Amino acid sequence: MTTSGFKLNHSMLRVKNPKTSLDFYQNILGATLIETFEFQAMGFTLYFLGFEAGLVDQMPSDRAERIQWLANQSGLLELTHNHGTEFDDSFDGYHNGNTEPKGFGHICVSVPDVHAACDRFEAMGVEFVKRPNDGSMKGIAFIKDPDGYWIEIFSPVDLTNVILEHT
Amino acid sequence: MTTSGFKLNHSMLRVKNPKTSLDFYQNILGATLIETFEFQAMGFTLYFLGFEAGLVDQMPSDRAERIQWLANQSGLLELTHNHGTEFDDSFDGYHNGNTEPKGFGHICVSVPDVHAACDRFEAMGVEFVKRPNDGSMKGIAFIKDPDGYWIEIFSPVDLTNVILEHT
């Protein structure tokens, strides 16, 4: 099979301020920072985050082995920081794809309990696009990351109920 | 741990023509169509694709169970089709995030052999943004999907060499 071993390794989003974004993805969404690649001469840094449990214990300690391991994972998030944007008052920020011109829509984090997760996000000051009880799609929420990218939040049971009701 | 069980379930991209996109992701990139959710009244359909091997054998045959299973996966791709775009001559297509206004950058498919994979893409008429031997980042390629979204292609060994050389 010519596509054997193909994996969806990551999705990449540009971020204005890596400190703010890493705090959000690690402390609010529980992601693990796997690797940081700083391309000093080219003026950008890449941050690779994973969401599976136990990643810290799985990662090889040798850097070359860890990068190969990273490249064999699925479902990672890559954040790209173009140096200087965080201090640039003339920088308008990034486009989240949900206003014109549209394209990319969102990433989605599946959680065991969407209501408990969203109560915690609310208490931590996270901005919502849609709370779980808003609209007709009960149990599906959308929050914003620090750059305004949308993150869908659902739990498997609630998603199933919505899909079976509407399709 | 309050974020226990959190997973990066999917990334969502809007597509103009689902027939063209499904052909591309299934036949060129080897993805498996897991589920199709048609929201007829709301005028859109969602297609969920997975890239791991053996998904067809893992998927529960009962639809409700399969949706719950889908919601527990990592690293899926969701394609959203707003009905009618494929026939709308005034529709300009979607924005890939790599020209202004920038934001989302790409998805990435890891492959065992980037050169073999790219030779096959070339033979199948896939459009390249960067071939593996272009530029200073040898072994990393970018192709375009039918809507123009960028897909990074690398293999673990080549990525590791590039990272160790440049960072």
Side-chain angles (χ1 to χ4, degrees):
Chain A
M1 172 72 168
T2 46
T3 60
S4 178
F6 282 28
K7 295 174 178 182
L8 191 62
N9 181 255
H10 67 258
S11 295
M12 186 278 263
L13 301 174
R14 296 173 177 88
V15 300
K16 174 180 171 134
N17 186 329
K19 194 163 178 292
T20 313
S21 296
L22 289 173
D23 176 65
F24 178 86
Y25 283 102
Q26 292 180 105
N27 297 321
I28 296 181
L29 290 182
T32 300
L33 180 63
I34 298 172
E35 263 290 347
T36 300
F37 302 139
E38 184 175 350
F39 292 77
Q40 191 64 46
M42 287 180 267
F44 65 91
T45 301
L46 311 177
Y47 299 90
F48 279 84
L49 295 148
F51 290 74
E52 297 290 323
L55 285 178
V56 170
D57 300 326
Q58 292 173 40
M59 290 193 272
S61 56
D62 175 77
R63 187 154 188 255
E65 287 176 23
R66 191 165 59 248
I67 298 170
Q68 281 203 43
W69 172 87
L70 177 160
N72 267 313
Q73 302 302 303
S74 284
L76 304 181
L77 179 66
E78 177 186 10
L79 303 179
T80 293
H81 172 229
N82 291 306
H83 299 165
T85 50
E86 71 277 35
F87 306 119
D88 181 356
D89 290 339
S90 70
F91 178 66
D92 284 336
Y94 289 113
H95 179 64
N96 72 16
N98 293 304
T99 55
E100 295 301 334
K102 290 182 182 174
F104 165 77
H106 59 260
I107 59 172
C108 170
V109 174
S110 171
V111 303
D113 181 333
V114 66
H115 298 286
C118 288
D119 286 349
R120 178 171 159 274
F121 296 151
E122 193 89 60
M124 294 177 94
V126 173
E127 187 178 350
F128 280 78
V129 178
K130 176 193 180 305
R131 288 179 172 77
N133 289 327
D134 292 346
S136 64
M137 302 264 203
K138 303 294 182 205
I140 296 182
F142 282 87
I143 60 174
K144 285 190 179 180
D145 92 341
D147 287 273
Y149 296 113
W150 291 14
I151 304 171
E152 183 176 14
I153 306 291
F154 61 50
S155 46
V157 172
D158 296 83
L159 177 76
T160 305
N161 291 339
V162 166
I163 298 292
L164 294 179
E165 180 185 351
H166 288 275
T167 66
Chain B
M1 173 71 167
T2 47
T3 60
S4 179
F6 283 28
K7 295 174 178 183
L8 192 61
N9 181 256
H10 67 257
S11 296
M12 186 279 262
L13 301 175
R14 295 172 178 89
V15 300
K16 174 178 173 136
N17 186 328
K19 193 163 178 295
T20 313
S21 297
L22 289 173
D23 176 65
F24 177 86
Y25 283 103
Q26 291 179 106
N27 298 322
I28 296 182
L29 290 182
T32 300
L33 180 63
I34 298 172
E35 264 290 346
T36 300
F37 303 139
E38 185 175 350
F39 292 79
Q40 191 62 49
M42 287 180 266
F44 65 90
T45 301
L46 311 178
Y47 299 89
F48 279 84
L49 296 148
F51 291 73
E52 296 291 326
L55 284 179
V56 171
D57 299 326
Q58 293 172 41
M59 290 194 272
S61 56
D62 176 76
R63 185 152 191 257
E65 286 176 23
R66 191 164 60 250
I67 299 169
Q68 281 202 42
W69 173 86
L70 177 160
N72 267 314
Q73 301 303 301
S74 284
L76 304 181
L77 179 66
E78 178 188 9
L79 302 180
T80 293
H81 171 228
N82 291 304
H83 299 164
T85 50
E86 70 277 35
F87 307 119
D88 183 354
D89 290 337
S90 70
F91 178 66
D92 285 335
Y94 290 114
H95 179 66
N96 72 15
N98 293 306
T99 54
E100 296 299 335
K102 290 184 183 172
F104 166 77
H106 58 260
I107 60 172
C108 170
V109 174
S110 171
V111 303
D113 181 333
V114 66
H115 298 286
C118 288
D119 286 349
R120 180 172 160 272
F121 297 150
E122 193 89 59
M124 296 178 92
V126 172
E127 187 178 350
F128 280 79
V129 179
K130 175 194 181 304
R131 289 179 170 77
N133 288 327
D134 292 345
S136 63
M137 303 264 201
K138 302 293 182 208
I140 296 183
F142 282 87
I143 59 174
K144 284 190 180 182
D145 92 344
D147 288 274
Y149 296 113
W150 290 15
I151 304 172
E152 184 175 12
I153 307 291
F154 60 52
S155 46
V157 171
D158 295 83
L159 178 75
T160 305
N161 292 339
V162 167
I163 297 291
L164 294 179
E165 181 186 348
H166 288 275
T167 64

